[in-house]
Amino acid sequence: MTDRLYYTDARLDRFTAVVLDITDEGRRVVLDRTAFYPTSGGQPHDLGTLGGIAVVNVIDDDERIAHLLAEPIGVPGGSMLVGQIDMVRRFDHMQQHTGQHLLSAMLTDEFGWPTVSVHFGDDTNTVDVACEDFDATTLAAIERRANALIVQNRRVTVSFEDAAEATGLRKPSDRDGELRIVTIDGIDRSACGGTHVDHTGEIGALLLRRAEKTKGNTRIEFVCGHRAVSRARLDAELLTKAARTLSAAPHDLPGLVEQQQQRLTEGERERKRLAAELARHEAAALWTACIPDSDGVRRIVVSAAGAVKESEPLAQQLVALGFCAVVVTNAAAGALLMATAQDTGIDAGQTLRTALQAVGGRGGGSPRLAQGAVPDPSQLHVVLESLGFLTPHPERSA
């Protein structure tokens, strides 16, 4: 059994302990006591060193805690080791976890939104609350209220109480025996095994970044303390950089982005209109220049430098003129697109699929439009020959 020192002293950063068990060729160590917090309750594990070797993971193994090391420890069982906690990481987790307790309690008491689940990440955290109709404008009000509670510097204490007698818990515990209770004076009482600050003022700022609907609930993303300041600084730098490219002030950026988006939409609409008009002119010229075969079908090959799909508008314009079959090829990629007019009686999907399968290629589509590719680009001529497109016909490059 491992004595969990962090239960009673979250600020303990250096300790000594006796090795109870060593496995995994000296990389997995169990101690008689530890200040290292294992991944548990959504809170990430601590980092640091044990016997001078980096601790890369800490695992809660029922009544024992296993420390996974970067390299073998090289000492026998029963040895005394010194553990050193990375307190920068630890204190960050203390800020995030205590901030979540305060936020969850406030959302439950003042908004009637109980917490469904919590996730603590390396960069950001989320709390899912039972709220289906969340108004995004409420986010700022929640943030102001949470920070108002934080600066009241309420005391945060830890107690150990019998589960049968523990009352006033924000969420009832389903465990028996002794519970570890974390209390924020006048705000929250929760059964929790995590690490926390001593007063709410140490949480620092609480920043709510966004909220979104998820599975009938609302997920709120938040960060606390030093992490909140770093995140706000990064956001400000990103906004300033984006605004600088448009020669604008950051507060003007939303309006400018909306204007630019509207211009792009209008420009894309105009580009498509012009491309369609050009395709109509090209199609008319190609269709007129092509001599029909014995079946009265004009067979036209279009060579594409890019994706064959990009030449689909031209192919569609050609077949719209009637009695026409078109194949667009990309010789480098070994890709083909085939389009046929209905009055030709040619099923593009079935015809192209059969021709491709004969050379180990794959493809298919609808009777009017199909696409595929050959495994070896040099086999394109075999496919074109089987499709009847190798007799002299006008050819256009796209």
Side-chain angles (χ1 to χ4, degrees), residues 90 140 171 212 215 283 369 377-378:
R90 161 69 69 81
K171 181 179 180 181
E212 61 183 3
K215 300 178 181 178
L369 184 69
S378 65

Side-chain angles (χ1 to χ4, degrees), residues 80 152 171 193 258 318 348:
M80 182 76 74
Q152 291 176 8
K171 181 179 180 181
E258 186 175 350
L318 281 165

